[in-house]
Each structure stands twice: as C-alpha cells, then as structure tokens.
Amino acid sequence: MSHLSLEQKLARLKVVPVIAIKDSALAVPLAKTLVENGLPCAEVTFRTEAAQESIRLMREAYPDMLIGSGTVLSTEQVDQSIEAGVDFIVSPGLNPTVVKYAQQRGVTIVPGVNNPSLVEQAMELGLNTLKFFPASASGGTAMLKALSAVYPVQFMPTGGVSPENIESYLNIPTVLACGGTWMMPSDLIEKQDWSAIGKLVADAVSALAER
C-alpha cells in the first residue's frame, strides 16, 4: 500500500483504531495484534505520556504499518510525532497554528471540524480531508450529510462510532474511513488480552469486508 495516498489507504482500511497507550511496552504487541488480524493501522493519541515512544516502537517493528498520532494540540507534539515516525497527524479541533506548522514540516494533518464555518476555515488552509469530531455528539450522519452536500471535502468521523452505526457513516460517499475505539478497550489493553482484542479487530475487519 506504500504507493497509495493517505486518503486511498484510509478508504481501503475503512476504520482506524484510535488507541491510548499508557505503557509503551504494550505498543508492539498491540501493533502485532492489529497487523495479524488484518488492520495494519493505528492512531495513537497524545493523551498519554507513552504516546511518542509507543509510536516509535510500532514504527520500528512494523515499517509498513499506517500510523497516525491523535489528539495533537501543539507544534511541540507535531515535532514529537514526526520524530516518532508518523504517517499523519490528527487533531480534535482546527488550530490554524498547528495546521500551518504541520504543513511547513511536510506532514499530513487531519484536523477536527463539526460545523460549516470550521470546514470553510480548513478549506482556506488548503485541507480537504477532515476529521468529523465528536461525530455522534455533533449530529452524526445527519450533520455529515448536510456538510457533504455543500463542501468538496472528505471526512473521517470519530467519536461515538460503533459496530452498530459504522455502516451508516461509511454509506455516506464523502466518508473515507471512521475512527473507532471499540476494538481497543483500555481494560483489555491493560490486561494484555491480545486474543480478545484480536477477535474484536478481526470481527471489525470481516464485517467491513462484506461491504
């Protein structure tokens, strides 16, 4: 998949596991579980101290894996993400300073938007792939359809996406992929129950493969 654009890779995967890792020692086993169960992708959020090191270890172990950093709120975290080896950066909101800095550094950033004004600001910054966040709290598919009718952009809805509603998001033509946390429950990560996590991942992959 290395020759494909980020958008093409996301569209093939259909779902991006969003993960908060508290202990970087769990990063490689987590990555292994994802790769072996057909989902070679992760968005590791900067909500924990272990994020940068976790991304670095994943990248080292799985050079071809699609890895993003999430919850990136500052230019410093952009630098940390790039140093760790990310393919892309995701932020919960649209911070023009962070977006412009990521662009200067040559890394793709997918900022969060949830209303028309933010979509227009993102387009003004030259962006056309955006995170729709928090998806369910911001009107879900109804809001996304309304935005999609007006703007020539693509979305990655995240926040409240579940096995029950992911189909309804993916059925919207402007949706590339969804961000999801359900296949990465923090209690299973802490227990290091890789087989249970693997089953959740495999179930998600097989459900989406039938589309």
Side-chain angles (χ1 to χ4, degrees):
M1 289 209 306
S2 55
H3 61 288
L4 301 176
S5 69
L6 174 65
E7 287 77 12
Q8 288 170 317
K9 289 176 183 177
L10 291 172
R12 280 195 174 186
L13 291 160
K14 301 188 185 79
V15 65
V16 176
V18 179
I19 318 169
I21 303 177
K22 291 178 184 166
D23 178 0
S24 59
L26 305 181
V28 172
L30 253 181
K32 182 173 188 276
T33 304
L34 285 165
V35 170
E36 289 181 352
N37 288 282
L39 196 54
C41 176
E43 177 190 320
V44 179
T45 70
F46 265 81
R47 292 181 201 174
T48 69
E49 294 289 314
Q52 184 182 14
E53 180 65 3
S54 297
I55 293 165
R56 191 187 69 74
L57 291 167
M58 282 183 170
R59 170 57 70 224
E60 205 172 74
Y62 295 96
D64 296 331
M65 193 175 172
L66 185 67
I67 305 175
S69 57
T71 324
V72 171
L73 305 176
S74 66
T75 56
E76 183 189 12
Q77 288 178 334
V78 170
D79 286 336
Q80 290 171 351
S81 300
I82 293 168
E83 282 164 26
V86 295
D87 296 298
F88 64 103
I89 287 173
V90 182
S91 57
L94 180 70
N95 179 332
T97 304
V98 174
V99 168
K100 287 174 185 168
Y101 186 74
Q103 289 171 330
Q104 284 166 8
R105 297 267 351 238
V107 64
T108 301
I109 183 163
V110 182
V113 298
N114 70 344
N115 65 50
S117 298
L118 289 171
V119 175
E120 291 192 19
Q121 285 179 48
M123 288 172 66
E124 186 70 19
L125 289 161
L127 300 169
N128 56 17
T129 299
L130 306 170
K131 175 178 176 171
F132 179 60
F133 178 82
S136 59
S138 301
T141 54
M143 180 60 143
L144 253 183
K145 285 175 185 171
L147 293 173
S148 300
V150 190
Y151 298 114
V153 296
Q154 296 173 302
F155 293 101
M156 185 167 78
T158 307
V161 178
S162 67
E164 291 70 43
N165 65 19
I166 189 168
E167 281 287 331
S168 58
Y169 282 105
L170 290 171
N171 285 335
I172 301 170
T174 55
V175 171
L176 283 173
C178 294
T181 56
W182 78 85
M183 76 286 285
M184 290 281 141
S186 52
D187 57 328
L188 292 183
I189 293 174
E190 280 167 34
K191 285 184 202 156
Q192 301 182 40
D193 192 342
W194 309 125
S195 61
I197 293 171
K199 184 176 184 329
L200 289 171
V201 173
D203 288 350
V205 170
S206 63
L208 295 174
E210 291 162 17
R211 296 186 81 253

